[in-house]
């Protein structure tokens, strides 16, 4: 395997939020762990008299809530608390580390919309302070190389 083909670790990916898809983004957390952003579509089972066995087809995905354990600074906490208290929908971006990108400064970025809620995680001796950010996803998850831009040709 060539160097560019080796898998990279995703330690300390970053979580960003914005009012619009291509608007000004604010980094609100570091993430050590990201739950599945979307699960496989549910199977629809069907049968007919001329079939010996049941068959399956892809159905639709269930609505999912993401709970992401985050590492934060006080300023990031204040930003997230304001977003949580507003009950508004925002654009969320999960940016993988730059070291994972084959093109400089263009790592994979996942984005979606949703409202959020914030809660303190367990506090333990010799552990980092963490919060759980729950995002009530209201759109499909999209993927881009680097952050989405208003004019992709420019």
């Amino acid at each position: 395997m060539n160097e560019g083909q080796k898998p990279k670790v995703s330690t300390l990916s970053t979580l960003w939020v914005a009012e619009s898809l291509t608007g000004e983004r604010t980094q609100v957390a570091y993430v050590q762990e990201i739950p599945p952003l979307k699960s496989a579509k549910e199977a629809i089972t069907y049968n007919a008299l001329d079939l010996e066995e049941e068959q399956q087809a892809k159905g639709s995905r269930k609505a999912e809530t993401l709970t992401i354990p985050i590492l934060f600074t006080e300023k990031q906490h204040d930003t997230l608390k304001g977003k949580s208290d507003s009950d508004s929908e925002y654009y969320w971006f999960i940016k993988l580390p730059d070291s994972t990108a084959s093109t400089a400064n263009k790592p994979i970025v996942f984005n979606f919309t949703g409202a959020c809620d914030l809660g303190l995680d367990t506090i333990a001796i010799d552990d980092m302070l963490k919060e759980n950010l729950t995002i009530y996803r209201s759109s499909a998850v999209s993927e881009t190389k680097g952050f989405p831009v208003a004019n992709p040709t420019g």
Side-chain angles (χ1 to χ4, degrees), residues 88-149:
S88 297
E89 298 235 336
Y90 297 95
Y91 285 82
W92 298 93
F93 304 87
I94 297 173
K95 178 181 172 266
L96 300 184
D98 288 337
S99 63
T100 63
S102 56
T103 304
N105 300 319
K106 295 275 186 186
I108 295 173
V109 176
F110 299 99
N111 68 78
F112 49 90
T113 58
C116 71
D117 200 8
L118 190 62
L120 190 61
D121 198 354
T122 304
I123 299 174
I125 295 174
D126 295 331
D127 197 7
M128 295 183 195
L129 287 178
K130 296 180 217 169
E131 290 184 300
N132 285 320
L133 177 68
T134 302
I135 302 174
Y136 304 94
R137 192 167 54 86
S138 60
S139 72
V141 176
S142 297
E143 180 181 315
T144 57
K145 303 285 179 143
F147 284 109
V149 293

Side-chain angles (χ1 to χ4, degrees), residues 10-15 29-34 68-71 94:
S10 62
T11 301
L12 293 185
S13 295
T14 51
L15 180 67
Y30 290 98
V31 244
Q32 291 180 305
E33 175 183 332
I34 301 167
I68 305 172
I70 59 170
L71 305 173
I94 297 173

Side-chain angles (χ1 to χ4, degrees), residues 57-77:
K58 281 188 194 179
S60 59
R61 285 189 178 87
K62 286 191 170 210
E64 295 176 291
T65 301
L66 301 171
T67 300
I68 305 172
I70 59 170
L71 305 173
F72 60 94
T73 63
E74 182 178 0
K75 183 177 179 183
Q76 291 169 329
H77 166 82

